[in-house]
């Protein structure tokens, strides 16, 4: 346990995933499809409780910082996806007792999947029961992504792209 430097973030996440068997909680403001695929491909055992919290702000998706299709992919592999529009945290929690906390978003540049990764820094640390309760409360106070919410977001994005304009935010029903 200790500091995880930029060149080791991908390897450390993969190593932790290979030992995770019950719970995986990922909190990342930005999330890209290739990075969640890396996570799913690195899982070595069936993990029954997989949760992902993302920001999914309108601007994040329009700018390409996050992929809305992450929801479809996660749903296919048994993940619960949560949304918090005020999210900035980046935390990976394995079996509710250890975690990687740092600056690395769940993107190819954040976790070092490509040739030009970001210069991220993280810390691998034990997670106490009290800390896990606080992490769980973040999920409890987030919006659970549903097919209905996803469809509303998708339609809003398509309308914005079709009109070649920036409405600046999600519609009021989101």
């Amino acid at each position: 346990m200790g500091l995880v430097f930029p060149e080791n973030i991908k390897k450390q996440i993969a190593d932790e995933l290979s030992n995770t068997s019950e719970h995986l909680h990922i909190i990342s403001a930005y999330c890209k499809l290739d990075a969640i695929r890396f996570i799913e491909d690195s899982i070595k055992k069936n993990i029954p409780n997989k949760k992902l919290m993302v920001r999914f702000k309108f601007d994040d998706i329009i700018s390409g910082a996050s992929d809305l299709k992450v929801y479809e992919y996660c749903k296919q592999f048994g993940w619960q996806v949560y949304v918090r529009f005020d999210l900035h945290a980046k935390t990976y929690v394995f079996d509710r007792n250890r975690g990687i906390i740092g600056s690395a978003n769940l993107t190819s540049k954040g976790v070092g999947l490509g040739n030009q990764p970001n210069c991220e820094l993280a810390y691998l640390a034990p997670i106490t029961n009290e800390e896990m309760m606080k992490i769980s409360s973040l999920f409890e106070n987030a919006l659970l992504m549903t097919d209905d919410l996803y469809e509303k977001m998708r339609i809003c994005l398509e309308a914005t792209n079709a009109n070649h304009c920036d409405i600046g935010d999600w519609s009021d029903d989101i």
Side-chain angles (χ1 to χ4, degrees), residues 15-43:
D15 287 351
E16 290 299 321
L17 287 170
S18 71
N19 296 315
T20 302
S21 60
E22 293 294 322
H23 299 274
L24 176 58
H25 296 73
I26 298 177
I27 301 169
S28 177
Y30 302 149
C31 186
K32 298 288 283 178
L33 197 52
D34 57 346
I36 194 70
R37 280 188 181 127
F38 158 72
I39 296 293
E40 190 63 37
D41 290 346
S42 297
I43 293 172

Side-chain angles (χ1 to χ4, degrees), residues 16 22 24 34 36 69 88 93 131 142 146 156-157 172:
E16 290 299 321
E22 293 294 322
L24 176 58
D34 57 346
I36 194 70
K69 290 191 179 220
H88 189 70
V93 180
E131 290 165 337
T146 63
C156 187
L157 289 168
D172 290 339

Side-chain angles (χ1 to χ4, degrees), residues 81-154:
V81 178
Y82 294 80
V83 177
R84 280 192 65 134
F85 295 121
D86 63 345
L87 186 65
H88 189 70
K90 295 94 177 164
T91 305
Y92 303 75
V93 180
F94 310 96
D95 281 337
R96 303 175 62 91
N97 61 22
R98 60 196 184 286
I100 296 174
I101 299 106
S103 61
N105 277 298
L106 187 53
T107 64
S108 60
K109 287 188 173 207
V111 296
L113 300 180
N115 292 334
Q116 295 180 318
N118 291 339
C119 182
E120 307 287 359
L121 193 60
Y123 196 79
L124 176 62
I127 303 287
T128 67
N129 286 338
E130 182 180 332
E131 290 165 337
M132 194 61 223
M133 287 175 49
K134 289 179 182 179
I135 291 168
S136 293
S137 78
L138 290 175
F139 282 92
E140 291 166 9
N141 292 308
L143 182 62
L144 178 63
M145 190 75 155
T146 63
D147 290 345
D148 184 53
L149 178 58
Y150 171 77
E151 191 62 18
K152 287 177 183 177
M153 288 178 163
R154 189 189 63 72

